[in-house]
């Protein structure tokens, strides 16, 4: 999905991944992330947010809850949105302040004491029981926690497994109920996804966004001051002005940090630079013209379509056959032209670039830097949940923390 854009805009990343593989320093099934490009993208997002009055809480799950990248991003965007309690723990351990916790996954009751003790800017709740639980623990800690009401997504734009939340007609009653709870304040509303991209990469508002805006209007009519309107999904430099025009006070950039929103696959002039590739290698042949690569990192919705193979006789582009979502991705099959298949051999490195969620894979993630200087270095190798796998990763995290 992003291979052509990366070849055009960040060829040094591709060359570094190939070179580090051929030097034996990176293994197949490794996402390779250009930390300097991520730093550039975070700075561009911060500037756009400041220009339009939209505070940005960054999202890190799609690049493996990585502590080194989290700290790099936090130099520009100080707070993060944690999608679940495990991510909140990882971000806190990395020294990153919490913006929104509980969206997309509610905070388990047993974990509320430590999460609320970290004083997140907001906690998102889906129902009255979770609201009461947050209120009780916040009151026990002697504080008042700002809460966002999660609007139930419109069925036409809600992903399976992400259902739940309040209807706009519930907002007034929930606000009245919260008035009797000493530990919370209804501060605003959110929903997901509020923005999706069309087939040509054009950002389009969803019906869910309209429900969020209606709920915000209700809170204003009830006298809630400075209603916080969080409009996550599709947040990028190119969409922040549009989000602000709809009334967003907050947004949650994720894929924009690596230049991998669908818009970035179509428009090569956007400020964010592609910053991530997937490195694998030829594992076996399945028939005369069906080479297979090692898998482990193929997210089912990744839309991987093409690959770049470095052979002994030069680079070649090839298609990638679809992988059924119900299968474990031990391998993935390439679809080269028949005349190219004989050039491909076991051990040849392969680069792809597609939409991913690293935290749900079994891949490794290598953070690299120095590409623009022609001196690529590995700052660290991590597992898919952000745990350092080498001493360099530990040292780099400590250096950024200082």
């Amino acid at each position: 999905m992003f291979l052509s854009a990366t070849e055009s805009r960040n060829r040094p990343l591709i060359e570094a991944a190939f070179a580090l593989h051929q030097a034996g320093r990176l293994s197949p099934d490794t996402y390779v992330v250009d930390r300097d490009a991520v730093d550039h993208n975070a700075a561009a997002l911060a500037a756009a947010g400041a220009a339009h009055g939209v505070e940005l809480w960054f999202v890190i799950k799609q690049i493996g809850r990585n502590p080194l990248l989290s700290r790099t991003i936090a130099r520009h965007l100080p707070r993060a949105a944690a999608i679940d309690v495990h991510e909140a723990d990882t971000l806190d351990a990395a020294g990153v302040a919490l913006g929104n916790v509980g969206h997309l996954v509610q905070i388990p009751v047993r974990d509320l004491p430590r999460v609320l003790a970290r004083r997140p800017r907001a906690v998102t709740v889906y129902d009255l029981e979770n609201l009461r639980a947050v209120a009780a623990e916040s009151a026990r800690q002697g504080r008042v926690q700002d809460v966002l009401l999660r609007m139930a997504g419109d069925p036409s734009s809600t992903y399976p497994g992400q259902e739940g939340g309040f209807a706009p007609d519930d907002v007034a009653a929930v606000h009245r109920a919260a008035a009797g709870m000493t530990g919370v304040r209804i501060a605003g509303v959110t929903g997901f996804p509020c923005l999706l991209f069309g087939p040509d990469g054009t950002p389009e508002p969803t019906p869910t966004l309209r429900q969020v805006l209606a709920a915000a209007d209700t809170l204003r009519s009830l006298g809630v001051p400075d209603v916080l309107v969080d409009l996550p999904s599709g947040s990028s430099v190119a969409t922040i002005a549009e989000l602000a025009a709809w009334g967003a006070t907050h947004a949650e950039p994720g894929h924009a940090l690596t230049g991998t929103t669908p818009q970035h696959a179509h428009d090569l002039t956007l400020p964010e630079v592609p910053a991530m590739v997937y490195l694998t290698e030829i594992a076996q042949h399945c028939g005369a013209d069906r080479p297979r690569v090692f898998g482990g990192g193929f997210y089912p919705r990744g839309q991987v379509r093409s690959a770049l193979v470095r052979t002994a006789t030069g680079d070649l582009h090839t298609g990638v056959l679809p992988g059924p979502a119900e299968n474990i991705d031990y391998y993935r099959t390439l679809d080269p032209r028949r005349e190219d298949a004989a050039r491909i051999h076991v051990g040849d490195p392969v680069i792809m670039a597609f939409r991913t969620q690293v935290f749900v894979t079994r891949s490794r993630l290598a953070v690299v830097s120095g590409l623009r200087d022609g001196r690529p270095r590995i700052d660290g190798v991590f597992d898919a949940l952000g745990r350092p796998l080498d001493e360099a990763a530990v040292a780099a995290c400590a250096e950024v923390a200082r």
Side-chain angles (χ1 to χ4, degrees), residues 345-398:
H345 298 286
V346 169
D348 287 345
V350 180
I351 292 291
M352 304 178 192
F354 50 89
R355 190 170 179 84
T356 189
Q357 298 285 343
V358 172
F359 82 116
V360 299
T361 75
R362 61 184 188 274
S363 304
R364 292 186 170 196
L365 187 140
V367 181
V368 300
S369 61
L371 309 188
R372 305 307 177 283
D373 301 330
R375 295 191 298 272
R377 62 181 178 273
I378 300 175
D379 293 334
V381 179
F382 302 78
D383 71 9
L385 298 178
R387 291 174 292 222
L389 297 177
D390 60 9
E391 293 182 3
V394 176
C397 288

Side-chain angles (χ1 to χ4, degrees), residues 138 247 279:
S138 182
L279 170 68

Side-chain angles (χ1 to χ4, degrees), residues 1-2 5 198-202 261-270 305:
M1 186 177 184
F2 301 103
D200 63 351
T202 301
T261 77
Q263 195 173 24
H264 290 88
H266 294 272
D267 187 346
L268 304 188
T269 69
L270 297 175
R305 298 166 182 160

Side-chain angles (χ1 to χ4, degrees), residues 38 130 150 156 158 199 242 365 401:
V38 170
N130 278 285
R150 203 264 200 181
S156 67
T158 298
E242 191 171 1
L365 187 140

Side-chain angles (χ1 to χ4, degrees), residues 69-134:
L69 295 172
S70 294
R71 288 173 174 168
T72 299
I73 296 163
R75 294 189 294 198
H76 307 284
L77 304 173
R79 289 185 179 269
I83 63 126
D84 60 21
V85 67
H86 306 298
E87 191 155 294
D89 291 341
T90 303
L91 287 161
D92 182 70
V96 178
L98 298 175
N100 185 14
V101 184
H103 190 210
L104 300 163
V105 182
Q106 296 288 271
I107 305 169
V109 173
R110 64 182 294 168
D111 296 316
L112 281 169
R114 77 171 188 276
V115 174
L116 296 187
R118 294 167 181 159
R119 297 182 176 270
R121 173 65 181 86
V123 170
T124 294
V125 297
Y126 282 49
D127 55 42
L128 277 172
E129 279 199 80
N130 278 285
L131 177 61
R132 293 189 187 103
V134 172

